[in-house]
Amino acid sequence: MAGTRRHGAGRGRPTLEEVAARAGVGRGTVSRVINGSPRVSDRTRTAVEQAVAELGYVPNRVARALAANRADAVALVIPEPETRLFAEPYFSDIIRGVGAELADTDLQLLLTLIRTPKERQRLADYLSAHRVDGVLLVSVHADDPLPDLLEQIEMPAVLSGRRSAHESVPYVDSDNTGGAQSAVEHLIGRGRSTVATITGPLDMYVAQCRLEGYGAAIRAAGREVEPELVAAADFTEEGGRRAMSQLLDQRPDLDGVFAASDVMAAGARQVLRESGRRVPDDVALVGFEDSAVARHMDPPLTSVRQATEEMGRAMVRVLLEEIEGLSDRTSKRPQMVLPTQLVRRESS
């Protein structure tokens, strides 16, 4: 019976180290079991839970946070205005995935929008004071200084997407190039001879990759990429409208359009209807994301599906590893690229 006597009478509160010693594992492993991490084997979990029961260990969340210099909070930073946050399903899907993955942890989620240089500086000061344990950064532009700041202050961080092909900060991304290529190959396979594209803002690597996929499909079909068939926009519905009008002015003979987001495709659809073009009879249309926008368009939009909610979940998993120090900072940082899939509907 002595082996199962509860620790506490006369010996003080049992510690995490005592639990680790009893279970024959490291302190970090005990912490992961207590926090419900899935990155522990069933055998190890059982050993730790048995040690917790035998010692009568009770986690003290506040004491643990103070002792580890932890804030028990992570920030989800979106450097975009509210209009984009609420208009684009991409952001709500990311937030849903992040929230779902954090639900079984003790971490508080802080959602922060950055709309002005003043707000950016205020956030930089807040993060530099280490008021949070880690940062999830969504919608990254090439000139965004935040990722470099996070590295300088050694703040664990994960990006949704990348700034370039040589990204140094851990990230979770979609196969944007392959997805876009499959979309344009689909249009060409449907007999479309003059296929245009509406790009996202080209200071974002995601938009560059989707344009690269468009070009790869065009060249693979033995055609040349024509500048008059490429119009840059900004991932908004109004941007899609403007770009579609530009394309029709430049190449009224176009018969296929790949829009680099469903929201831009919705704007393009309006302009095509106003100009008397029937979709898909006169102009076939394909988007990217396979959001609710795609399913509710008339006709329903063919779109490249990316696992946006899973991206949010995966970002949290990678960030938790960074926070716990499970990722070796001297080697290649965690990088995940999730597959995409073309979903065919009536618009093409």
Side-chain angles (χ1 to χ4, degrees):
M1 293 295 291
T4 59
R5 179 172 57 84
R6 293 176 66 84
H7 242 265
R11 292 197 56 184
R13 187 188 188 95
T15 66
L16 200 68
E17 287 75 11
E18 289 174 314
V19 174
R22 175 67 66 92
V25 299
R27 186 179 186 277
T29 300
V30 175
S31 178
R32 287 193 288 279
V33 171
I34 290 172
N35 288 308
S37 171
R39 299 185 299 275
V40 181
S41 70
D42 291 341
R43 182 177 179 180
T44 299
R45 187 183 307 280
T46 300
V48 171
E49 289 173 347
Q50 182 176 344
V52 166
E54 291 175 354
L55 294 173
Y57 175 77
V58 178
N60 184 324
R61 179 171 175 265
V62 175
R64 187 171 70 244
L66 290 172
N69 195 25
R70 292 270 289 268
D72 275 351
V74 298
L76 174 58
V77 180
I78 303 177
E80 301 288 355
E82 298 100 321
T83 49
R84 282 202 64 193
L85 176 67
F86 295 112
E88 297 183 32
Y90 174 82
F91 294 113
S92 60
D93 288 345
I94 285 282
I95 294 170
R96 186 180 303 113
V98 168
E101 193 67 24
L102 284 174
D104 293 329
T105 74
D106 288 331
L107 294 172
Q108 180 72 29
L109 178 63
L110 306 177
L111 176 61
T112 303
L113 303 184
I114 302 178
R115 294 149 292 194
T116 66
K118 182 178 180 180
E119 289 180 337
R120 185 180 298 278
Q121 184 58 51
R122 188 164 61 218
L123 175 66
D125 294 341
Y126 186 84
L127 297 178
S128 295
H130 286 263
R131 302 280 183 83
V132 296
D133 298 316
V135 175
L136 302 165
L137 185 55
V138 179
S139 192
V140 186
H141 294 255
D143 60 352
D144 193 327
L146 273 177
D148 291 333
L149 169 68
L150 295 170
E151 285 200 296
Q152 290 168 11
I153 65 176
E154 297 185 341
M155 172 68 72
V158 180
L159 309 183
S160 171
R162 292 170 269 177
R163 291 170 294 172
S164 74
H166 308 292
E167 182 59 71
S168 57
V169 178
Y171 65 79
V172 177
D173 206 351
S174 290
D175 181 10
N176 292 295
T177 302
Q181 184 168 350
S182 69
V184 178
E185 287 174 347
H186 167 71
L187 287 168
I188 293 171
R190 299 290 288 175
R192 305 296 163 154
S193 60
T194 308
V195 179
T197 186
I198 298 173
T199 79
L202 293 176
D203 67 334
M204 297 183 72
Y205 189 60
V206 56
Q208 297 169 24
C209 287
R210 292 178 189 178
L211 177 58
E212 180 183 329
Y214 165 83
I218 294 295
R219 288 187 290 272
R223 306 176 186 179
E224 295 293 328
V225 175
E226 303 177 50
E228 298 82 5
L229 291 173
V230 178
D234 56 3
F235 285 140
T236 68
E237 186 172 349
E238 180 55 34
R241 287 182 57 86
R242 289 194 302 267
M244 191 69 251
S245 296
Q246 175 187 333
L247 289 170
L248 288 176
D249 287 343
Q250 294 174 171
R251 291 298 300 267
D253 59 326
L254 64 82
D255 59 2
V257 176
F258 164 58
S261 80
D262 292 345
V263 173
M264 292 194 300
R269 175 71 186 89
Q270 295 171 16
V271 172
L272 289 169
R273 176 173 288 169
E274 291 164 3
S275 69
R277 264 78 164 187
R278 297 167 299 165
V279 175
D281 303 56
D282 301 319
V283 179
L285 182 62
V286 177
F288 201 114
E289 280 168 26
D290 190 36
S291 63
V293 171
R295 296 187 292 275
H296 296 149
M297 277 177 60
D298 179 25
L301 181 69
T302 295
S303 184
V304 178
R305 175 177 294 165
Q306 63 175 1
T308 310
E309 188 170 332
E310 174 54 28
M311 286 179 68
R313 286 179 171 274
M315 288 174 68
V316 171
R317 292 195 294 268
V318 173
L319 183 64
L320 292 179
E321 290 188 357
E322 291 287 297
I323 292 172
E324 295 294 339
L326 301 178
S327 173
D328 183 359
R329 291 176 178 271
T330 64
S331 61
K332 189 175 179 63
R333 309 304 300 281
Q335 300 173 348
M336 294 180 62
V337 178
L338 303 181
T340 55
Q341 176 187 4
L342 183 68
V343 180
R344 295 170 175 82
R345 297 192 179 93
E346 287 85 344
S347 71
S348 62

